[in-house]
Amino acid sequence: MKLKDLRKKRWFRFISNKYVLISIIFIGWMFFLDTNSWFIHHELDVEIEELQRNKSYYQEEIAKDKAIIEDLQDSVQLERFARQKYYMKRPNEDIYIIEYDTID
């Protein structure tokens, strides 16, 4: 195929237009090469979503911890918590820890 025949093709005339060439180069630059490219924005959006999930998880954990702290203001609840969680005991008292061996 000769160059003259190629120049007569409609798609070649369209692509060889200087405005189309500049637009293609600009779009390619913005999508792939620029520091603010679409790919970087996509990665940042994914990271933002993950951070928002972490934020909501930690807010729920903070609410649970605040509820536990509020319950521990009562001395009876504080003693119960210490006995269950840290195996503390009163003087002259024996504690037996029973662990169940589960077979699956």
Side-chain angles (χ1 to χ4, degrees), residues 29-81:
W29 180 271
M30 293 307 288
F31 264 88
F32 300 109
L33 303 174
D34 194 39
T35 57
N36 297 319
S37 70
W38 179 82
F39 294 111
I40 292 175
H41 277 282
H42 180 69
E43 290 174 5
L44 292 175
D45 289 340
V46 169
E47 186 176 344
I48 286 171
E49 289 173 4
E50 181 181 345
L51 290 172
Q52 287 175 343
R53 284 193 303 270
N54 285 344
K55 178 183 173 184
S56 64
Y57 169 76
Y58 287 122
Q59 285 177 339
E60 290 172 5
E61 291 297 315
I62 288 172
K64 289 178 188 176
D65 290 343
K66 282 183 180 181
I68 290 172
I69 289 172
E70 190 174 306
D71 287 343
L72 293 179
Q73 298 300 322
D74 183 22
S75 62
V76 174
Q77 291 291 336
L78 181 62
E79 181 182 350
R80 183 173 146 228
F81 180 79

Side-chain angles (χ1 to χ4, degrees), residues 6-21:
L6 189 63
R7 287 184 183 167
K8 290 180 182 177
K9 302 276 183 186
R10 188 171 189 215
W11 61 269
F12 183 78
R13 283 187 292 156
F14 178 74
I15 292 178
S16 63
N17 185 338
K18 64 181 174 182
Y19 297 111
V20 172
L21 286 175

